[in-house]
Amino acid sequence: MRTFSGTAGRSLLLVFAVLLASCSNASQDLQTTPLAPGGAPASAASRLIDAAVLLKGHVTPLKVLKLQAAGKLPAPVPLAVVRRQLEQFEERPRHRLHLPHDVGSVALWATTFLLGGTLIGLDTGAKKIVAAIDEGSSGCSLPTTVKIDSSQNIWSSCEIDNNVQEYSKDGVLEKTYDGGCPAPVSECEEYFSASFDESANSSDVFAGVALDEIETTSGTTIGTGFEWWPASTPSATPTLIALPYDDPVEEVNFMDLDTSGNIWFDYYGCSGSSCGYGLAEITKPTKDPKMVSILPIGSIEEAGGVYIGDHGKVLNVTDQETRITKQYKLPLSPSGKPFNKLGPTPADAIGFGDPVSGGFNKAETNLVFGDGYGWLDLGRVADNKWKVVQNINFWLPEGAGYTPSDR
């Protein structure tokens, strides 16, 4: 069982479902039939319930980080990184960022905890901040990942409330997809969730659900999976794709969509007595979802960003522990081998370094990561050379992406 190390939730209404299939099968059918109460480890359930109680009332980034550092909430970064983030957050002065909104000069976007949630736009060298988007004022607290689509629209995930936000390339909020209860909503009493990542295409929008607690009249369950909405109707009731909880999937981490609309994601889970991080695919997620194991549990030391680039041809999987990103050609068969490795990203003099999630520029000559220790990692693909870029306003960036991107 993993010691959960961070995210947040809120009280909502929900019903969700799952069909448990044999863990010996490579492909597992998933559906939305009601899940019976129980079946989750008591330790995980009690921690999430404790977190839900503690999160009642006003939720702040500091409050969330404290819960993450205490192991009461799941987090997108390792526990040691969360504790370092908490130290940095408590040490730094609180100030408001005043910047010109020169989105035309933005070469890359990065998420930060500034003001509770801010997207900052930087110039080509990532040294000068030329624009900022206050996500917090639009209801997105603690943004984790950022992805840039083919129209240069900006997509960002929100740890708190399981929201997905879409901004135009000019930085104007276009749509917000709120995590919540799939039908029938009336059967749900409370729902608490944690989310680290999102992905979208022209027809659908998905949010990874790292963990949720569902309270109904018949009992309480906890689970993990994905929520999705039709891209054209953000106000629609989301549909939940629930995964076989705890055996093999205990926590969905990062995700992306391929050109067929299939979901690729890394996760923490267990198979028998073996627990660790693996990689899987969900085929036909909106019609007939099936989970296919791609890299077995233990193949990844610490789950990091999952990014499909080169216009859908290459799957990039980052390991936060090794600081290496492995590249796989798509389509990818189970236990397939990478054709290239990028990194490791730099560590500082103390040995700190944690590339969380990132993306490539349009020509795929450069790659950028938000580093959980408080900087950006910039890499040159051709010779795998890396450098660290720091800025006083990089408040714990966990996601970054170039604009235009290679999508």
Side-chain angles (χ1 to χ4, degrees):
M1 176 59 57
R2 183 188 186 191
T3 300
F4 297 116
S5 52
T7 230
R10 66 173 174 179
S11 179
L12 294 169
L13 298 176
L14 168 66
V15 164
F16 92 94
V18 60
L19 177 66
L20 290 176
S22 172
C23 295
S24 61
N25 295 334
S27 177
Q28 299 177 354
D29 292 331
L30 311 174
Q31 61 183 32
T32 52
T33 53
L35 175 69
S43 59
S46 63
R47 283 174 181 170
L48 193 57
I49 290 169
D50 288 345
V53 172
L54 291 169
L55 284 165
K56 296 286 187 181
H58 184 56
V59 179
T60 65
L62 180 59
K63 189 175 184 179
V64 172
L65 284 171
K66 285 182 176 180
L67 290 172
Q68 291 175 336
K72 294 183 178 294
L73 289 174
V77 295
L79 182 58
V81 180
V82 174
R83 289 173 173 168
R84 177 57 181 157
Q85 289 180 337
L86 178 59
E87 291 176 3
Q88 293 177 326
F89 202 90
E90 290 179 320
E91 292 170 357
R92 302 188 70 165
R94 305 294 182 261
H95 65 282
R96 181 166 291 274
L97 184 65
H98 296 286
L99 291 170
H101 194 61
D102 184 14
V103 293
S105 300
V106 174
L108 62 92
W109 291 96
T111 60
T112 77
F113 286 7
L114 192 68
L115 307 181
T118 302
L119 279 166
I120 54 173
L122 299 109
D123 63 4
T124 304
K127 293 183 178 180
K128 182 180 179 182
I129 299 176
V130 295
I133 299 172
D134 182 0
E135 289 191 273
S137 65
S138 300
C140 181
S141 297
L142 301 185
T144 304
T145 60
V146 58
K147 294 184 174 79
I148 313 300
D149 67 20
S150 58
S151 299
Q152 292 185 261
N153 280 14
I154 309 153
W155 294 81
S156 185
S157 64
C158 313
E159 284 191 42
I160 298 175
D161 293 345
N162 192 23
N163 291 344
V164 177
Q165 291 192 334
E166 178 190 8
Y167 293 85
S168 72
K169 65 179 181 180
D170 297 320
V172 177
L173 180 64
E174 294 200 339
K175 298 183 184 72
T176 296
Y177 300 82
D178 288 317
C181 300
V185 173
S186 59
E187 295 183 18
C188 214
E189 294 182 343
E190 286 191 331
Y191 171 50
F192 305 95
S193 71
S195 179
F196 304 149
D197 205 356
E198 51 70 33
S199 190
N201 56 26
S202 60
S203 58
D204 304 293
V205 176
F206 294 83
V209 179
L211 195 66
D212 43 8
E213 174 193 341
I214 300 100
E215 295 183 19
T216 69
T217 54
S218 58
T220 300
T221 58
I222 61 174
T224 188
F226 305 90
E227 284 197 323
W228 70 272
W229 305 257
S232 59
T233 53
S235 60
T237 299
T239 299
L240 183 66
I241 303 169
L243 300 182
Y245 182 73
D246 197 43
D247 192 356
V249 182
E250 185 173 308
E251 180 179 301
V252 167
N253 295 110
F254 297 89
M255 62 166 292
D256 208 354
L257 296 175
D258 65 19
T259 55
S260 297
N262 296 336
I263 300 172
W264 295 80
F265 67 102
D266 51 21
Y267 66 95
Y268 182 86
C270 297
S271 178
S273 59
S274 299
C275 296
Y277 294 96
L279 180 78
E281 177 188 14
I282 303 292
T283 60
K284 300 180 180 178
T286 64
K287 294 181 174 62
D288 183 24
K290 291 182 173 64
M291 176 179 163
V292 181
S293 175
I294 301 297
L295 298 179
I297 287 170
S299 300
I300 302 169
E301 292 191 34
E302 182 77 36
V306 174
Y307 179 89
I308 294 177
D310 195 13
H311 305 285
K313 299 176 184 176
V314 175
L315 170 69
N316 302 273
V317 181
T318 299
D319 189 321
Q320 292 188 60
E321 179 65 28
T322 64
R323 308 195 313 278
I324 288 175
T325 296
K326 295 181 179 179
Q327 297 187 291
Y328 302 84
K329 292 188 182 298
L330 292 177
L332 176 63
S333 300
S335 298
K337 304 299 182 183
F339 71 89
N340 190 33
K341 297 179 182 180
L342 295 171
T345 58
D348 65 11
I350 308 176
F352 290 157
D354 181 47
V356 185
S357 65
F360 293 83
N361 65 351
K362 186 175 184 179
E364 292 208 317
T365 55
N366 298 98
L367 173 60
V368 61
F369 286 101
D371 195 294
Y373 278 109
W375 57 76
L376 298 182
D377 298 310
L378 272 67
R380 195 168 58 198
V381 174
D383 55 6
N384 198 24
K385 297 295 185 182
W386 292 84
K387 66 179 180 179
V388 166
V389 177
Q390 294 178 298
N391 186 293
I392 191 173
N393 291 311
F394 290 173
W395 277 38
L396 316 182
E398 294 177 345
Y402 281 99
T403 185
S405 69
D406 61 338
R407 297 164 78 89

